Amino acid sequence: ERARQERPTSRQALANYAAWQARYLRQDHDHGATDDYTRPARADTDGWTTLALPASFAAAGLPDAGATWLQRTIPVREAPAGRSATLFLGDLHGSAEVYWNGKKIGAGDRADPSRSYTVDAGDLKVGDNVLAVRIFEADRGAEVRPGRVGLDIQLPDEKLALDGPWLAKAEFALPVLAAGSAPAPPLPPRSEQETASFLYNGMIAPLVPCALRGVLWYQGEANADRAAQYREAFPLMIADWRKHWGRGDFSFYWCQLASFQTRQAQPGEVGWAELRQAQTDTLRLPNTGQAILIDLGEEADIHPKDKADVGARPARIALARDYGQPSTVWEGPTFDAMTVDGGKVRLTFRHADGGLKAVPIPETYQPSSLKPETKPNVRHSPDGQLEGFVVCGSDHRWHWATAANIDGDSVVVTCADVPEPVAVRYAWASDPLCNFANGAGLPAVPFRTDDLPWTTAAGKY
């Protein structure tokens, strides 16, 4: 219910929050000198401990409410040559003060959730630098969450991920609020990018007088928990833009969400898959197109490093449909029809340019291009050519399927656990292991053949 309340302005929110803190004695303390926390520390002395981020502070024995210091050594390999660094602290629960080599470089509170800070070139020294962060939480639940915003630092010549081990030390703890002893704190302000009309008025409306040939769109991650609503909102946005430009149904092409997040061990429901389906459903609008990126994402980075291939996919659509290159293949295999014969399901596909194929699956994959570590590719149907298909019977329980045969423009799917299949899905996960493509190397469009209720139906903006 609180989520549906109208969020106050930043000034109102901060005043409301300060009044709540004062009434229930949840104010921050003056920490005084910071040298003890911002100079290089040792994990085995002075109360410092090792904490692997992202993490809940309480689970690590640190204050659930109060102030905690985090510290990490950041190596700079080369002189920055006048270039600054950008620090992203991700999704913090609490306010933050950030120090670089003992110098305060910024702070963020409930009114400033961006968590992005700049380290000036003059403050970057070759060798080890000390990054220290003080996090204060007045209520409960102090933590660094695994969120949409990365925990990393963009140095002049490299990007370093900042998840993993940090040093942590409690400054002070606030008493635990007993159940019913105080109301929940006032709502924080809505961020600018989540404020109705802010992005449109600030970034789109000024462009309306300009001529354009079409739009390439990449968005949707923030809507995954309300994917069902996106089925309506996204087409409405496209129609609204076309109305304001007054050029009719100009070309509007988008990138379907790339793979992201930890791979599912078992098939099931997930908002990211439903968001992709909502994007596919939007193809019902005239003069639209969709670039599939299911093979280009990274498990541990919502902004994958491979930008060239991401850019090339929607460019193919524009070249074929707007710039006189009709021979350019831009669509991957797209589900067309399904027939069931006993325990076998035959799926036929359009856009099998150059034939349907199974892309070879390597033994390992890299969760993030920021790190050299690899993980094993765990196959769910090792007896088949293709990965990523699941089937269900009338009980609507999903099982991994074996896609053993590619037959012309069809794929035959079976599952020993489902003798009477009724529905099939493909690549229905946040970060699926899937390898179905056409001869042009374009991946198949994730799909479902069922009309089961959307699990995100209750999610509203």
Side-chain angles (χ1 to χ4, degrees):
E1 183 63 31
R2 279 168 52 80
R4 296 191 181 99
Q5 298 174 23
E6 183 65 28
R7 291 180 183 260
T9 64
S10 296
R11 182 177 299 177
Q12 292 171 332
L14 292 177
N16 295 342
Y17 193 65
W20 177 87
Q21 288 180 277
R23 181 172 182 180
Y24 299 101
L25 304 179
R26 313 301 289 179
Q27 300 100 322
D28 196 0
H29 297 180
D30 181 4
H31 54 62
T34 62
D35 288 352
D36 289 344
Y37 301 103
T38 61
R39 66 184 180 184
R42 292 179 48 136
D44 57 352
T45 60
D46 300 329
W48 290 91
T49 186
T50 302
L51 178 66
L53 298 183
S56 161
F57 289 6
L62 295 162
D64 194 37
T68 296
W69 286 84
L70 303 173
Q71 190 185 113
R72 180 156 174 165
T73 299
I74 307 297
V76 176
R77 299 176 181 177
E78 300 180 5
R83 289 181 290 164
S84 62
T86 303
L87 172 68
F88 299 94
L89 288 184
D91 193 1
L92 306 180
H93 195 285
S95 59
E97 295 179 17
V98 184
Y99 296 79
W100 183 268
N101 292 331
K103 175 184 176 181
K104 186 175 181 178
I105 63 171
D109 56 26
R110 290 163 65 87
D112 179 22
S114 63
R115 312 301 189 187
S116 175
Y117 305 92
T118 298
V119 184
D120 293 335
D123 294 323
L124 294 170
K125 67 177 185 180
V126 176
D128 288 344
N129 295 256
V130 178
L131 168 62
V133 182
R134 181 183 188 266
I135 297 178
F136 169 74
E137 172 54 47
D139 181 27
R140 63 177 70 89
E143 64 178 338
V144 177
R145 303 186 185 103
R148 295 189 299 269
V149 181
L151 188 69
D152 56 56
I153 182 168
Q154 182 68 60
L155 297 167
D157 295 301
E158 64 178 327
K159 185 177 183 181
L160 298 177
L162 296 181
D163 53 347
W166 286 61
L167 296 179
K169 186 176 183 179
E171 180 186 321
F172 72 89
L174 290 173
V176 175
L177 282 171
S181 63
L187 287 169
R190 186 180 294 278
S191 67
E192 292 176 340
Q193 69 186 44
E194 294 177 327
T195 300
S197 79
F198 183 89
L199 291 177
Y200 178 81
N201 286 329
M203 304 180 71
I204 303 303
L207 301 178
V208 170
C210 302
L212 84 166
R213 186 73 171 265
V215 170
L216 300 182
W217 174 264
Y218 192 144
Q219 188 273 337
E221 296 90 341
N223 300 77
D225 58 350
R226 48 184 188 274
Q229 187 186 52
Y230 201 79
R231 299 172 73 192
E232 180 180 5
F234 189 34
L236 284 174
M237 189 203 77
I238 295 172
D240 184 66
W241 285 22
R242 286 172 167 173
K243 180 185 71 175
H244 284 288
W245 257 277
R247 295 192 61 248
D249 294 331
F250 59 72
S251 301
F252 200 107
Y253 310 137
W254 59 86
C255 294
Q256 194 187 72
L257 289 189
S259 50
F260 177 59
Q261 299 178 337
T262 303
R263 288 186 173 173
Q264 295 174 242
Q266 299 297 328
E269 307 296 344
V270 61
W272 275 61
E274 292 188 3
L275 195 287
R276 294 189 187 107
Q277 184 64 51
Q279 293 175 306
T280 298
D281 291 347
T282 305
L283 292 172
R284 66 182 182 273
L285 295 186
N287 205 17
T288 54
Q290 176 176 241
I292 305 302
L293 309 182
I294 200 69
D295 58 330
L296 299 180
E298 298 180 11
E299 176 184 297
D301 192 349
I302 200 169
H303 300 293
K305 186 177 181 178
D306 183 357
K307 300 296 192 293
D309 286 330
V310 168
R313 297 273 172 89
R316 282 174 173 260
I317 309 176
L319 289 171
R321 297 177 56 174
D322 298 276
Y323 292 97
Q325 297 185 21
S327 61
T328 301
V329 178
W330 60 271
E331 293 179 283
T334 304
F335 170 71
D336 186 45
M338 178 182 82
T339 58
V340 180
D341 182 9
K344 295 182 179 180
V345 180
R346 179 176 291 273
L347 306 165
T348 58
F349 295 86
R350 305 186 305 276
H351 311 305
D353 300 79
L356 303 179
K357 69 175 184 178
V359 178
I361 298 175
E363 293 184 359
T364 62
Y365 71 98
Q366 198 170 15
S368 172
S369 57
L370 297 175
K371 297 181 178 181
E373 293 89 349
T374 59
K375 285 187 176 182
N377 266 319
V378 179
R379 295 203 59 174
H380 301 294
S381 56
D383 296 330
Q385 294 177 295
L386 296 169
E387 284 285 347
F389 286 88
V390 297
V391 300
C392 76
S394 58
D395 60 358
H396 298 156
R397 296 179 61 185
W398 295 98
H399 300 264
W400 298 111
T402 297
N405 297 312
I406 295 176
D407 182 13
D409 63 354
S410 300
V411 172
V412 178
V413 174
T414 61
C415 178
D417 295 323
V418 186
E420 298 181 1
V422 300
V424 178
R425 291 177 176 178
Y426 172 72
W428 200 264
S430 298
D431 183 16
L433 175 62
C434 53
N435 65 328
F436 185 28
N438 61 17
L442 295 177
V445 180
F447 69 90
R448 70 176 195 167
T449 67
D450 60 274
D451 59 357
L452 295 173
W454 289 51
T455 61
T456 55
K460 304 296 180 184
Y461 182 75

